[in-house]
Amino acid sequence: MRILVLGIGNLLLGDEAVGVRIVEALEQRYRLPPHVEVLDGGTSGMELMEMMADRDHLIVADAVLTGAAPGSVAVLYDEEIPALFTRKVSPHQLGLSDVLMALRLTDEFPRRLTLVGVVPESLEPGIGLSTVVSQAIEPALAQVLLALQESGVVAEPKEVANADCD
């Protein structure tokens, strides 16, 4: 089984970075089996095609415009996802839509596709997430872990050093 958890986003456009921050949290806090890769895809588009090709499960974390309130977490599956990207949130999303279409054309489309999206509050230039989107990282990460679990993957929490030094 080949699984990829892909975080995409632009770190220079405020909440647009949320997908990258979600996969960073996953990598920092959990141990994953060798058949699960975690990748910060940044704003890459077609360059990601080879990494995304022929996956048993592709899980994408990203900022999405769904019409819901900022900080809302949306989870979409398979055919629901390309339709979402007809409304562009940011420059890289056209790239993701193109990659998914190209993978379909080359018969390398992932067997399962899950998008964990967070509705941004601000896409203005600047580094750092808004408070409402920062608070959405935990529920979004929980959805990524659930998607992994649905593919039979158990993410083991990494040991945290004991902060209680009385």
Side-chain angles (χ1 to χ4, degrees), residues 24-137:
E24 284 176 351
L26 178 67
E27 282 188 305
Q28 290 168 2
R29 295 171 31 201
Y30 292 92
R31 240 184 311 282
L32 297 165
H35 68 278
V36 178
E37 292 179 67
V38 178
L39 177 65
D40 169 355
T43 58
S44 300
M46 294 304 280
E47 304 86 51
L48 295 172
M49 188 169 164
E50 189 176 322
M51 285 296 296
M52 295 166 63
D54 280 326
R55 294 290 177 162
D56 293 301
H57 195 172
L58 172 61
I59 302 165
V60 178
D62 197 4
V64 294
L65 290 178
T66 62
S72 298
V73 176
V75 182
L76 299 171
Y77 302 94
D78 303 314
E79 299 304 321
E80 299 171 324
I81 294 167
L84 179 70
F85 290 120
T86 58
R87 181 174 171 203
K88 223 165 102 170
V89 171
S90 62
H92 72 264
Q93 283 195 327
L94 181 60
L96 180 61
S97 180
D98 289 344
V99 173
L100 293 174
M101 188 174 297
L103 290 172
R104 177 135 357 255
L105 291 171
T106 59
D107 283 333
E108 297 174 303
F109 200 80
R111 284 160 235 5
R112 292 186 67 193
L113 179 57
T114 304
L115 171 71
V116 176
V118 177
V119 178
E121 181 176 62
S122 171
L123 298 174
E124 295 298 313
I127 296 176
L129 301 176
S130 65
T131 302
V132 70
V133 170
S134 290
Q135 292 169 346
I137 287 181

Side-chain angles (χ1 to χ4, degrees), residues 7-11 14-23 61-64 117-120 129 133-134 136-137 140:
I8 52 180
N10 188 332
L11 299 179
D15 293 339
E16 180 28 34
V18 70
V20 172
R21 298 303 182 210
I22 292 166
V23 297
D62 197 4
V64 294
V118 177
V119 178
L129 301 176
V133 170
S134 290
I137 287 181

Side-chain angles (χ1 to χ4, degrees), residues 132-156:
V132 70
V133 170
S134 290
Q135 292 169 346
I137 287 181
E138 285 307 311
L141 179 58
Q143 291 298 322
V144 169
L145 293 170
L146 183 61
L148 285 167
Q149 197 173 46
E150 289 168 357
S151 281
V153 174
V154 176
E156 288 183 38

